Amino acid sequence: MKNKNNRGGTGTLIKIAYRNIWRNMRRTIFCFSAVGIAVFFIVIYSSMIDGMINSINETVQIYELGNVTVVSAQYDAENEYMPVQYPVSDGKSWKDLSASIKTISGVREVFPRIASPATLQESTIKHAVLWGLDIENEMKANHFNMTDRSDGLLEGRWPEPGANECAIGRVFAHKSGLKVGDKIPLKTVSAQFSDKIWSPQITGIFNFDYIKIDEQYIIVDIERLQRLLVLGEGTQSLVIFADDPGQSGPITAAVTSLLGSGNVVTEWRDNYWVSIMQIVTPIYTIVFLVFLIVASFLIINTVVMIIHERIKEIGMMGCLGMTRAEIVKVFFFESIFLAAFGALAGVILGGLISGIGSQYPIRMGDLYGNTFSEMPLSNAIFLEFNPFILLRAWIMGVVVASVFTLIPSLKSAFVEPVEAIRR
């Protein structure tokens, strides 16, 4: 044993450690459970947080900014009031502007949008937003209902181009008692600051699964709203969709250069809520580490107990010629096995749950009402099933648990062989 070449190497120590973890099944199962539960919750919470982030990102892009949005500088300064008197590029034809923007590499679609506050005269809901869209083309390009991946139309049809027609949300229809075929008398203010009275007929009811739109917005054809608001061929905003949302930065720069001053070009990543989620993500990682550290204490206590219970065995190892470093390695490898197998169990269970959750949404709005109405968050949140989440959770579980059990493993190195055998 004194000749190093005659002793087993690290592989032998690993075999000894692996066999040792099965010597007390109850203790081993407790350690597996502690780390496994911590890793399980890391996987589930990571999947839920990533699902929320994806929902916010998608909601911002579909309903608010596209990948890039263009408004006038005056509108940007007063955007909370949704003024219509400041069209993009001083009221130039949106079709001409769209044709110019489409020449930029990576641009997929360009749509005009107008959002104008309206006062309802004969409804339990007194305030709404007229949302002018290029309905036919927008519905082809986007899935406005992110749960079903559809245009979200529940009943009837979408308004015809140029017609005195509209569509309202499911929540709006329920609260107001309106149905397909009814008219909505309303008043809005044009770009010339004159009151405009309008009574469009409801031709459809939609469900976008986004409370802000379903409860407040009245969808009308963009051309009809342009005439009502005396905007000519101008538009309040231009929403640009890219072939690859990740390339929205270069497109933003190209559009800014193309349109020149007087307009504000915004990338979707600059949205307040998107930025907030990017900031708070590291905080969640810290919380996850705390979970693992707490779970690791059970393994720490287990290793300490193992060393105490096997004190004579440690003495025998020393008498047989094992060095202190080799004894430490045996106990440290045991800790790694306990952490690795426990983390693997948590990853498998967490991956199974997140995989199911990626197909069946969690309906946040039904659970919490309008609590999240200020956030651009869809009612239905899908857990994000991502192999990277599983791998990250497993590595975190193994590394944190192993590192925190290194100190008690070192305790075995200070046991004197002769004293240990006497006990």
Side-chain angles (χ1 to χ4, degrees), residues 21-193:
I21 66 172
W22 306 111
R23 293 170 61 177
N24 188 323
M25 288 299 298
R26 180 180 298 179
R27 187 168 55 204
T28 297
I29 291 173
F30 280 151
C31 289
F32 284 0
S33 300
V35 178
I37 290 172
V39 171
F40 168 78
F41 280 108
I42 287 175
V43 171
I44 295 302
Y45 281 121
S46 295
S47 299
M48 182 176 292
I49 291 167
D50 282 5
M52 290 181 63
I53 292 173
N54 290 341
S55 177
I56 290 174
N57 291 346
E58 192 171 12
T59 299
V60 166
Q61 292 176 72
I62 290 178
Y63 299 113
E64 298 186 12
L65 299 180
N67 301 133
V68 178
T69 189
V70 183
V71 298
S72 67
Q74 297 95 325
Y75 174 87
D76 185 66
E78 303 177 23
N79 65 82
E80 65 270 23
Y81 305 111
M82 291 185 279
V84 296
Q85 64 269 26
Y86 306 124
V88 177
S89 293
D90 294 325
K92 292 181 181 178
S93 170
W94 74 265
K95 293 181 180 179
D96 293 339
L97 294 173
S98 173
S100 299
I101 293 172
K102 283 185 178 180
T103 62
I104 297 173
S105 176
V107 173
R108 174 168 57 90
E109 294 287 354
V110 182
F111 297 119
R113 288 185 182 178
I114 301 172
S116 175
T119 302
L120 279 61
Q121 298 176 341
E122 298 177 9
S123 172
T124 54
I125 297 177
K126 299 302 180 184
H127 301 283
V129 176
L130 293 176
W131 201 24
L133 303 176
D134 181 4
I135 297 173
E136 181 179 1
N137 292 319
E138 284 246 30
M139 295 306 165
K140 291 178 181 178
N142 294 313
H143 298 299
F144 277 87
N145 184 301
M146 293 184 290
T147 304
D148 299 331
R149 297 295 169 180
S150 67
D151 64 0
L153 188 65
L154 285 181
E155 184 181 347
R157 61 174 175 81
W158 293 112
E160 295 289 340
N164 290 321
E165 299 173 345
C166 69
I168 61 175
R170 171 184 58 87
V171 179
F172 190 109
H174 175 73
K175 289 186 175 182
S176 63
L178 295 170
K179 59 184 184 299
V180 172
D182 292 344
K183 291 189 175 183
I184 309 179
L186 55 84
K187 181 178 73 172
T188 187
V189 178
S190 74
Q192 298 177 343
F193 300 100

Side-chain angles (χ1 to χ4, degrees), residues 86-309:
Y86 306 124
V88 177
S89 293
D90 294 325
K92 292 181 181 178
S93 170
W94 74 265
K95 293 181 180 179
D96 293 339
L97 294 173
S98 173
S100 299
I101 293 172
K102 283 185 178 180
T103 62
I104 297 173
S105 176
V107 173
R108 174 168 57 90
E109 294 287 354
V110 182
F111 297 119
R113 288 185 182 178
I114 301 172
S116 175
T119 302
L120 279 61
Q121 298 176 341
E122 298 177 9
S123 172
T124 54
I125 297 177
K126 299 302 180 184
H127 301 283
V129 176
L130 293 176
W131 201 24
L133 303 176
D134 181 4
I135 297 173
E136 181 179 1
N137 292 319
E138 284 246 30
M139 295 306 165
K140 291 178 181 178
N142 294 313
H143 298 299
F144 277 87
N145 184 301
M146 293 184 290
T147 304
D148 299 331
R149 297 295 169 180
S150 67
D151 64 0
L153 188 65
L154 285 181
E155 184 181 347
R157 61 174 175 81
W158 293 112
E160 295 289 340
N164 290 321
E165 299 173 345
C166 69
I168 61 175
R170 171 184 58 87
V171 179
F172 190 109
H174 175 73
K175 289 186 175 182
S176 63
L178 295 170
K179 59 184 184 299
V180 172
D182 292 344
K183 291 189 175 183
I184 309 179
L186 55 84
K187 181 178 73 172
T188 187
V189 178
S190 74
Q192 298 177 343
F193 300 100
S194 59
D195 289 343
K196 294 293 182 177
I197 308 299
W198 191 35
S199 295
Q201 185 178 38
I202 300 172
T203 61
I205 295 175
F206 60 85
N207 175 25
F208 289 169
D209 247 350
Y210 179 30
I211 190 66
K212 176 181 176 180
I213 304 294
D214 292 349
E215 186 177 44
Q216 302 175 15
Y217 279 48
I218 300 172
I219 295 179
V220 298
D221 175 65
I222 185 75
E223 293 181 1
R224 185 66 188 87
L225 192 56
Q226 283 174 323
R227 293 203 304 271
L228 181 71
L229 299 177
V230 197
L231 277 171
E233 294 186 352
T235 183
Q236 189 184 60
S237 65
L238 284 173
V239 177
I240 303 166
F241 290 92
D243 294 323
D244 178 9
Q247 297 300 313
S248 55
I251 292 175
T252 301
V255 172
T256 302
S257 176
L258 176 68
L259 299 184
S261 61
N263 299 291
V264 176
V265 185
T266 306
E267 184 185 358
W268 67 274
R269 292 189 185 91
D270 294 331
N271 175 267
Y272 171 79
W273 289 106
V274 172
S275 301
I276 285 293
M277 294 308 295
Q278 291 175 344
I279 293 172
V280 301
T281 298
I283 297 175
Y284 293 120
T285 302
I286 295 174
V287 174
F288 297 154
L289 289 174
V290 172
F291 280 168
L292 280 173
I293 291 170
V294 172
S296 297
F297 277 110
L298 183 56
I299 296 184
I300 294 172
N301 291 332
T302 300
V303 173
V304 171
M305 287 188 297
I306 290 172
I307 294 171
H308 179 74
E309 291 175 0

